[in-house]
Structure formats: structure tokens, C-alpha cells
Amino acid sequence: MHTWTPEERERLKELAGTGTYDEIAETMSEELGFKVSGESVRKQIKRIDKVDVEAETPAGYKESMEILPNGSHRSDKLIRMSKEQEKDTNYLLTAHGYDPKVWELTSAKWSEWNQHNKKDGTVTLFSSQITVKPKQNGSNIDDLIRAIKDTKPITLTIDKIKTAEKRMLEIPIFDPHFGVSDYEYYKPTQQKIIERLSSCRWEKVLFILGQDMLHNDNFRSTTSSGTIIEAVDMVKAWGDARMFFEPLIELAITQSETIDVMYSPGNHDEALGWAFVQMIKARYPQANVDDGMQQRKAYVYGDNFIGITHGDKGRKDLHNIFPIEFPMEWSQAKNREIHTGHLHVEETKDVFGMAVRTLATRNRTDKWHKDNGFVGAHKRFMLFEYSERELESIHYV
């Protein structure tokens, strides 16, 4: 690990605000003759700023940072800057601790504070107040677009085999929250699903996608409604979701007469979940894809009615809503199931012969569920196996 000399720290002070941390690191690398990382530059500049300002901060001055309802941040900080730097948006962002690649300045104002110390005498500091917002088209989005463009269509040629006994497998992976949990964590689950898919020839396989598959709905660390939550690496989360689902879909195509994919909007990933389904639709033309945005959907297999919804809307009245929205499908069924997610716990209510199930998840407990005390639930997903007559079994994976 490189130990910064006083001379190198002074040079960093001169370069602070002249570019991004990576750009400053490139300049320092050229001057010093060895590789300096952007992360090392970031930490050192923050340490320098903290020491300088703490030594000069007037009594009674309190720095503050506020997260606004629209996702913007408002920061009030005492900083040193020159007349040129006060007009430099990159310098202001960096001085307040924001990466210019990720954040953009929307407003700025400042007032002067004269502070006396023994080392420098009277110095002029600036009470700097800025408002920033995440960039809409930052490098992360570019990375995701490149990842999507790299997707190639796959056409699998398979000799279809009629099944002797008609069976359908429903694969509802509700609330996996890729980003909080990654592919390596879910590999044992994937293997169990592979084993179930390979156990026989299926007449139909139904995948439910969406349902908070991804933890964030954008690169601003928010849900679909704009609620600010913990940030995750969305490019990695997208890639992890692909590595998990694509082998399962490809195996299902070889193991079943028909493969259906249903999109179900979640409250975390409505837009990106829908985009993921569009990728699957383009990649696997053999699959029948329902990409509609309806909150509640129905699937019929033989005498089985399966209602699908995330469960964040109208949860208490689902046993009344589904018969009204799908009267024909409901009336002709003999076995009626409603599958919801959202709460990360497993629960089943039998309401006049209809099973209203909240499905379990294997996702790690995230901050929101910890804060609300939703801890200790069984970590598992649920697969449902049907005959044409009824639900035959539930498999935990």
C-alpha cells in the first residue's frame, strides 16, 4: 500500500476538483512513475479535506446533508476554494463528496466565513450549499446497455416428445432481489430447480418473472415508486439474474412441450423487470411470453386456476378481486390458487376453497426487512407441480 508523502498530498490539493478521481489518479501516476488508483486518490482527498476543515471550522457551525423526496441530495459544507473553483461544478461536487461521473449539480450558493488560526492566520472559508441529483445517463446505464446489446438470440431445435402423463411445473421465483443476493448465493437453488426440471417430461413449464427480481429499478437507488433504498450494483445484478434464469429456461425448452413466461410487476423493479422479460422474449422465440403490465394475471391449466400478483396492492381483498376480474376462468376451475410475494414470509389462507398463498423467498434479509422486524423467516423458494386435476405437490428449493 502506498504511503502518501506531504509533498504528494499538497499536489493532490492542487489537483482536487480538476477532474474525476480516476483522471487525477492518471495525472499522479504519470508524475510519480507508478500506478495510483482512483480509489486511493478519493480516500486521500477526503482525508485531507476532513483534517483541513476540522482544524478551521468555526465554533457553532454544523455541516449537514439531506436526502430530498425526489432523490436529490442537499449538502451544506464548509470548504476552502478559490474564485476559479467556486465556478467549477466538478470541484464543488468533489469537495462535497460526490463523484462527478454519477452526480450532477442542480443549484449552488455560498457565503464567506473568516476564520483565524495560529498556522495560517486569518483564512477565508466558504459555507457551500449545493443540491445534486443522480445523473440519468451515467456510465452504469451505458454498461447495462452494452450488456443488453451483447445478448444473442438462441434457437434450440428439439424433437418434441408427447408426455405420457400430463403435468405442469410452475416456477415462481418471487422476491429474489438480485443485487442484495447474487448468483453464487443462488447456485444451490438453481441446481435444485434443474433437478426438478430434469426429473420428467412436462407438458408445460411456467416461469413467473418480475416480482422484485432486481432490488433497484434504476441507477438512483430507488424502487419503482421512487423510494430511496440501499444502492446495489445493477449491472452485476442484471448479469446474475441472467446466469440464474437463462440455463433454467433453456432446459425447460428441452424438457417440455410448451414453455410460458409471465411478467408480474413488483414494487422494486417494475421497469427493469419488464426490460429483462423483453430480453428473454427476444432471446428465446420458442417461449410464449406474457409481458403485459397488469397487476393481477391468471393462468389456467386443466382444472387449475392460478392467480398471480405481487401482493403490494389489494392484498386483503384478493379472494374477492380475482373472481371479479377473471370470472370465466374462475368459475370453470376446480382447484384455485392465488400466489403473491412481497412480504418475504410464507403464509397460506384457505378462503372458501381458494388457497391464497404468500410465497417464501431465499433472498438474504435486506435493510428494510431488518428495520421492520421481518427476520427469521424460512429461506426458500417454492415450485408447484400440477396434474390436470389439481395441485399435486410443492417443492422447496
Side-chain angles (χ1 to χ4, degrees), residues 209-223:
L209 298 184
Q211 286 282 353
D212 289 353
M213 175 177 62
L214 302 166
H215 189 60
N216 294 165
D217 201 33
N218 46 49
F219 296 97
R220 294 173 293 171
S221 307
T222 72
T223 64

Side-chain angles (χ1 to χ4, degrees), residues 98-325:
Y98 293 97
D99 187 342
K101 282 187 176 181
V102 180
W103 299 85
E104 60 182 317
L105 190 71
T106 58
S107 68
K109 64 179 182 178
W110 51 86
S111 57
E112 294 184 3
W113 286 66
N114 291 320
Q115 173 69 4
H116 181 77
N117 63 57
K118 293 180 181 180
K119 178 183 176 183
D120 300 321
T122 300
V123 296
T124 300
L125 302 177
F126 290 83
S127 173
S128 174
Q129 300 169 342
I130 67 170
T131 303
V132 301
K133 67 178 182 179
K135 285 186 174 180
Q136 296 291 326
N137 295 300
S139 59
N140 283 337
I141 292 179
D142 294 336
D143 291 342
L144 181 56
I145 290 173
R146 281 193 291 271
I148 294 172
K149 284 183 176 179
D150 288 341
T151 302
K152 300 293 189 296
I154 289 180
T155 301
L156 301 174
T157 303
I158 304 150
D159 294 329
K160 291 294 184 179
I161 301 176
K162 289 290 183 179
T163 53
E165 183 180 5
K166 295 186 181 299
R167 292 273 172 150
M168 192 270 281
L169 183 66
E170 178 194 356
I171 304 179
I173 306 300
F174 284 16
D175 300 289
H177 288 262
F178 281 99
V180 173
S181 299
D182 59 15
Y183 173 67
E184 287 299 318
Y185 175 74
Y186 282 138
K187 276 179 76 173
T189 295
Q190 185 188 53
Q191 183 57 42
K192 290 180 180 180
I193 299 173
I194 287 172
E195 291 170 3
R196 180 53 47 189
L197 277 169
S198 302
S199 65
C200 68
R201 290 284 182 170
W202 304 91
E203 183 181 22
K204 295 193 176 200
V205 173
L206 169 65
F207 285 90
I208 311 297
L209 298 184
Q211 286 282 353
D212 289 353
M213 175 177 62
L214 302 166
H215 189 60
N216 294 165
D217 201 33
N218 46 49
F219 296 97
R220 294 173 293 171
S221 307
T222 72
T223 64
S224 304
S225 61
T227 302
I228 298 173
I229 55 176
E230 63 266 46
V232 300
D233 185 338
M234 289 305 297
V235 175
K236 184 178 186 303
W238 182 280
D240 285 343
R242 283 190 64 180
M243 286 191 289
F244 181 83
F245 282 107
E246 288 188 351
L248 298 178
I249 291 172
E250 289 171 20
L251 178 59
I253 291 172
T254 68
Q255 288 294 117
S256 64
E257 295 181 30
T258 303
I259 174 173
D260 295 319
V261 175
M262 178 184 288
Y263 167 65
S264 179
N267 66 306
H268 273 247
D269 67 341
E270 184 178 81
L272 283 186
W274 183 86
F276 190 90
V277 170
Q278 299 310 302
M279 181 191 70
I280 295 298
K281 184 177 180 180
R283 190 161 172 78
Y284 301 106
Q286 302 95 329
N288 303 313
V289 178
D290 175 358
D291 57 3
M293 297 293 293
Q294 299 93 327
Q295 286 294 321
R296 290 168 294 277
K297 294 184 177 181
Y299 187 91
V300 175
Y301 177 69
D303 293 332
N304 301 287
F305 175 97
I306 308 165
I308 301 295
T309 188
H310 186 54
D312 58 312
K313 298 177 176 65
R315 170 176 289 275
K316 294 181 180 179
D317 295 317
L318 294 178
H319 61 286
N320 291 323
I321 295 174
F322 271 95
I324 292 174
E325 291 188 340

